[in-house]
């Protein structure tokens, strides 16, 4: 079903942390995570019924491309109606159905492997405080988690064939953030303006009243 050596767990703290210890070519999947994490150490709700997995890859392309690549693959696997939000979300009608967390493991200055964590709300419960949605809520019925996983792995394989410039072009065309007036909450403060481009490194270019800003990270809301 895939070129990955799949290791399944019923419960782990975080599939990304398990993945860090594994060889490239391994795919870690868990039914439940007790310390699922998002960017900047945020909590990622990971109850039973969701798809929580991490791909361990040896970086054959620039590390920063993996989040873009996997976001496109997840969106393609979920189908029409879903959109990519910069940098690492897949949304359905503005609600988050999937989040991606890529972490590079370095040996000195060289990235030895990249662990790409993918969380998809399939049949799991979600706190009502989150702006989130599950596939079960969207389709009003349970979806087999393994089928969703298989579709993502196929889409990942296809997207992996793209060159860097093709990947960027596709990410630009599918990223729903582009062309919108936004507020990005970044680690160094808020940036307000129009999202005008994505750089080759996956950064968001925002046209503000005081010129262009290039953001490496941030939480975007549409104004
Ligand atoms: C992400 O972070 O969206 C990356 C999520 C990656 C999760 C996967 S699951 C497998 C692997 N193992 C891990 O430990 N992690 C990866 P970020 O953009 O920082 O978004 C985090 C925010 O999303 C939280 O602060 C909440 O507001 C919200 N959130 C938490 N759980 C959620 C869920 N299940 N669905 C949608 N939103 C959620």
């Amino acid at each position: 079903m895939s070129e990955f050596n799949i290791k399944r767990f019923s419960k782990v703290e975080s599939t990304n942390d398990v993945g860090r210890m594994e060889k490239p070519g391994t795919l870690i999947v868990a039914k439940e995570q007790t310390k699922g994490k998002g960017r900047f150490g945020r909590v990622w709700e990971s109850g039973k019924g969701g798809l929580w997995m991490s791909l361990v890859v040896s970086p054959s392309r620039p590390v920063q491309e993996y989040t873009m690549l996997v976001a496109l693959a997840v969106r393609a696997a979920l189908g029409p109606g879903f959109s990519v939000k910069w940098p690492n979300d897949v949304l359905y009608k503005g609600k988050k159905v999937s989040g991606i967390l890529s972490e590079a493991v370095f040996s000195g200055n060289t990235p030895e492997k990249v662990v790409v964590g993918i969380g998809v709300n399939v049949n799991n419960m979600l706190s009502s405080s989150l702006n989130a949605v599950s596939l079960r809520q969207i389709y009003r019925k349970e979806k087999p988690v393994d089928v969703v996983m298989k579709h993502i792995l196929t889409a990942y394989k296809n997207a992996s064939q793209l060159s860097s410039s093709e990947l960027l072009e596709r990410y630009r065309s599918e990223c729903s953030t582009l062309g919108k007036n936004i507020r990005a909450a970044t680690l160094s403060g808020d940036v307000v303006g129009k999202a005008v481009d994505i750089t080759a490194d996956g950064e968001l270019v925002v046209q503000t009243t005081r010129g262009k800003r290039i953001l490496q990270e941030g939480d975007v809301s549409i104004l």
Side-chain angles (χ1 to χ4, degrees):
M1 149 173 166
S2 83
E3 285 143 34
F4 286 95
N5 170 26
I6 304 179
K7 292 197 176 176
R8 293 178 183 272
F9 296 85
S10 51
K11 203 193 254 191
V12 297
E13 288 194 343
S14 157
T15 56
N16 267 34
D17 292 344
V18 177
R20 294 179 82 89
M21 321 299 287
E22 296 288 341
K23 287 204 289 264
T26 312
L27 168 62
I28 308 296
V29 195
K31 287 194 158 63
E32 198 180 341
Q33 298 186 114
T34 54
K35 282 193 189 159
K37 57 183 177 177
R39 292 173 301 153
F40 315 116
R42 291 163 178 160
V43 172
W44 180 259
E45 281 192 15
S46 320
K48 278 186 195 145
L51 173 59
W52 321 124
M53 68 177 190
S54 298
L55 306 171
V56 186
V57 296
S58 66
S60 54
R61 56 197 312 144
V63 170
Q64 59 277 13
E65 289 183 10
Y66 283 94
T67 301
M68 288 194 273
L69 182 73
V70 169
L72 289 176
V74 172
R75 201 222 60 81
L78 296 181
F82 294 83
S83 66
V84 173
K85 176 188 170 196
W86 181 85
N88 64 323
D89 293 352
V90 177
L91 306 183
Y92 181 81
K93 296 191 175 163
K95 292 186 180 214
K96 186 154 164 169
V97 70
S98 172
I100 293 141
L101 177 67
S102 301
E103 298 181 291
V105 180
F106 285 85
S107 146
N109 286 331
T110 321
E112 189 189 320
K113 54 192 169 191
V114 183
V115 181
V116 192
I118 307 170
V120 185
N121 298 316
V122 184
N123 306 311
N124 53 298
M125 305 283 279
L126 289 161
S127 298
S128 55
S129 57
L130 293 176
N131 183 28
V133 68
S134 67
L135 298 180
R136 182 177 59 186
Q137 288 169 325
I138 295 168
Y139 295 104
R140 295 175 209 277
K141 66 172 197 194
E142 299 235 333
K143 287 259 162 188
V145 175
D146 268 0
V147 172
V148 178
M149 179 172 110
K150 192 172 155 233
H151 287 155
I152 292 174
L153 292 175
T154 305
Y156 174 80
K157 199 174 159 193
N158 292 338
S160 300
Q161 314 295 318
L162 298 173
S163 67
S164 293
S165 58
E166 288 167 341
L167 172 68
L168 182 60
E169 195 184 321
R170 217 175 111 192
Y171 190 87
R172 280 177 175 143
S173 75
E174 294 202 18
C175 177
S176 63
T177 315
L178 280 185
K180 304 266 168 61
N181 288 316
I182 59 144
R183 168 176 285 111
T186 77
L187 293 176
S188 55
D190 281 8
V191 176
V192 175
K194 187 171 180 183
V196 289
D197 201 8
I198 306 283
T199 69
D201 290 331
E203 300 151 321
L204 184 69
V205 183
V206 182
Q207 181 70 58
T208 76
T209 50
R210 288 199 250 149
K212 279 188 178 156
R213 291 280 307 270
I214 295 180
L215 310 182
Q216 266 109 36
E217 49 77 29
D219 286 307
V220 171
S221 28
I222 309 286
L223 298 177

